[in-house]
Amino acid sequence: MEPAKDVMTPMSSRNVLSIQSHVVHGYVGNKAATFPLQYRGWNVDALNTVQFSNHPGYGYFTGFRYNAEHLQNILSEGLIKCLGIHYDAILMGYLPGLDSLLLLGESIGRLCSTDPHLRWVLDPVLGDNGRLYVPEENVAAYQDILRNNKVHVVTPNQFEMETLTGIGIVDLKSLKRSFKVFHQLYPKVQGIVVTSLELGDEYICACDDGFKMQYSVVPRLNAHFSGSGDLFNALLLDALVPARGEPPALSCALKQTIALVDNILRRTLQLSVFKDDQLPITIKDLKLIQCRDILRKKDCEMLQISMLDLK
């Protein structure tokens, strides 16, 4: 007998633990990652490292940071020991202090060492635009985590890449050198995606999977978006760990991510600009709910991105 057409058939799902900040209002940290990942077929366990009313870009916020012991207890005792949850991936973003970074870094590293299929995507949140916005000792902590643990992909921005390697990135030649130095310093890290680079008049993303270094010139929009980096990391993870089939090359996953994020940012800009606004503008929150149709798209339906070899 042919099954009824309205009966839902089971689909393979993926499990991710997302360790990031949380805001009650808006879309940064786990709020920027959870809905897109769920909409694309992930079971998301969100471990919130802070609980803020909104992100600091509003000029005022209130809330609190979870201490390291609470976060560690939830992860190791609750999720892993008591519930025995198996994760396909771990997405790690902002952590509020050195103790949290050290404890959770050690725990996740231990999980990755015992499960060869677990994919750890790590955003080394240090700062941007030439300055740190975390304590300076966090730099050494991230260096230690990257040196000693099996990280699938790390996603620094330009400032963070420079901080972790000691190489100032001013052109493609120095970018290539920074990739080489990164792999020398942190040989256990499989892939690197530098999420935002301003080189002269060009805005680019670049990646190195240990075999090939590539980059893409990214369309520049006349606005600043809060939460776009957190969205980018979530969609990159989604591309890297498909529900079925073989994982794509890092450059292919990056192309898909750039295209999706570009579409979402363009929609957000379109819905946020009013008649008398002067560009560039600062957009405090992404319009993720209004982008549900974009999150359903396939590669072929979106902006075509070219990846160039870094020679």
Side-chain angles (χ1 to χ4, degrees), residues 229-298:
D230 303 318
L231 172 67
F232 181 97
N233 289 329
L235 293 177
L236 178 65
L237 169 65
D238 174 65
L240 287 168
V241 187
R244 55 181 64 86
E246 291 297 315
L250 181 57
S251 59
C252 293
L254 180 56
K255 284 172 59 175
Q256 176 181 327
T257 304
I258 292 172
L260 264 175
V261 172
D262 178 77
N263 274 252
I264 291 171
L265 296 185
R266 288 179 186 276
R267 174 74 59 79
T268 296
L269 180 59
Q270 178 186 15
L271 295 174
S272 302
V273 174
F274 296 96
K275 182 178 179 181
D276 296 326
D277 284 342
Q278 296 294 315
L279 298 177
I281 65 170
T282 296
I283 297 175
K284 294 185 174 67
D285 287 302
L286 303 170
K287 304 295 187 183
L288 292 182
I289 305 303
Q290 296 90 327
C291 293
R292 298 188 302 279
D293 60 317
I294 296 173
L295 289 168
R296 286 195 296 266
K297 288 184 177 181
K298 305 295 183 183

Side-chain angles (χ1 to χ4, degrees), residues 37-198:
L37 285 172
Q38 289 174 329
Y39 208 72
R40 292 179 71 84
W42 286 84
N43 294 315
V44 181
D45 287 352
L47 178 53
N48 299 322
T49 59
V50 304
Q51 170 94 340
F52 290 160
S53 57
N54 51 274
H55 65 75
Y58 276 86
Y60 173 83
F61 69 96
T62 186
F64 57 88
R65 296 168 172 82
Y66 291 99
N67 66 44
E69 290 73 22
H70 287 153
L71 296 172
Q72 171 71 2
N73 187 259
I74 290 172
L75 171 60
S76 297
E77 295 298 317
L79 300 174
I80 304 302
K81 183 178 178 180
C82 295
L83 297 180
I85 299 173
H86 171 268
Y87 291 107
D88 299 292
I90 293 179
L91 179 61
M92 186 166 133
Y94 174 71
L95 287 162
L98 180 63
D99 291 345
S100 301
L101 185 56
L102 293 173
L103 278 174
L104 292 184
E106 181 181 357
S107 295
I108 297 168
R110 194 160 49 245
L111 289 174
C112 291
S113 68
T114 58
D115 183 356
H117 302 293
L118 180 59
R119 298 292 182 251
W120 185 3
V121 175
L122 169 61
D123 181 4
V125 181
L126 292 171
D128 203 359
N129 300 316
R131 67 180 184 88
L132 291 171
Y133 47 64
V134 297
E136 192 166 347
E137 55 264 30
N138 283 27
V139 176
Y142 275 115
Q143 290 172 328
D144 187 65
I145 289 171
L146 294 169
R147 189 180 300 114
N148 297 306
N149 295 285
K150 188 187 75 171
V151 177
H152 188 53
V153 172
V154 63
T155 61
N157 59 33
Q158 182 172 354
F159 172 74
E160 290 159 348
M161 186 69 170
E162 292 173 336
T163 302
L164 292 169
T165 62
I167 304 296
I169 303 172
V170 296
D171 52 24
L172 294 178
K173 183 178 180 180
S174 54
L175 172 60
K176 183 176 181 179
R177 183 167 172 237
S178 74
F179 276 138
K180 290 182 176 180
V181 169
F182 192 101
H183 280 298
Q184 291 168 0
L185 293 172
Y186 316 109
K188 291 189 175 183
V189 176
Q190 183 175 337
I192 311 161
V193 172
V194 185
T195 57
S196 56
L197 289 146
E198 292 197 40

